[in-house]
Amino acid sequence: MEAYELLPIVALFALVTVEFGGHALLQFLTTRQGTLTPLRERSFRAGHAHAGVLLILSLVYFLYLPQAEFSSSTDWLFGVLLLVGVLAQSGGFFVHLALGSEGRASLGTHLTRAGAVLIAAALIALGVGLVQSL
């Protein structure tokens, strides 16, 4: 099985977890069974939104990946790099929610930044591959 066949399936199932996260956030906001500080609410919303948008981006990425004509191992490398970046960037917001404090960087902040770098690297690699395949 090729990376562009399996990894979109992983992304689709990951979207279900994002949907559940939206439900959890809605429960917090509407039932008041738990309290979220403004920092935690912002982090929860940001992590949830980034995960959803970036997973949709990954589905588009996997449509174009075969057109770059990379080797199978390179497809896997860049596909996994993208998904790890998505997990790191969105997950960093949740780590910051748990460990961070207002106005200070935390492990979550660094994780979010590292995820952004990984996503950028995967996107640039695909862009270069697409240009080279013209």
Side-chain angles (χ1 to χ4, degrees):
M1 184 171 268
E2 298 293 331
Y4 53 81
E5 295 170 328
L6 179 63
L7 294 177
I9 295 168
V10 172
L12 284 170
F13 283 116
L15 276 167
V16 174
T17 68
V18 173
E19 186 177 9
F20 176 76
H23 171 71
L25 177 59
L26 187 61
Q27 286 294 104
F28 266 113
L29 296 176
T30 59
T31 64
R32 304 208 190 277
Q33 290 179 339
T35 56
L36 292 175
T37 65
L39 169 67
R40 288 189 170 170
E41 184 178 333
R42 285 191 311 270
S43 296
F44 201 125
R45 286 178 190 254
H48 177 73
H50 278 79
V53 169
L54 293 171
L55 284 168
I56 298 298
L57 168 69
S58 74
L59 294 174
V60 174
Y61 185 95
F62 292 123
L63 288 175
Y64 283 95
L65 189 58
Q67 295 177 29
E69 299 175 357
F70 294 131
S71 69
S72 180
S73 60
T74 303
D75 280 349
W76 279 101
L77 172 68
F78 293 145
V80 169
L81 187 73
L82 177 70
L83 290 181
V84 168
V86 168
L87 181 61
Q89 186 168 31
S90 57
F93 288 105
F94 293 103
V95 171
H96 187 71
L97 179 150
L99 304 176
S101 59
E102 190 79 43
R104 292 193 172 162
S106 70
L107 174 63
T109 308
H110 300 303
L111 188 59
T112 294
R113 289 180 181 147
V117 169
L118 295 176
I119 293 167
L123 291 173
I124 289 167
L126 178 60
V128 169
L130 291 172
V131 168
Q132 289 178 342
S133 71
L134 292 176

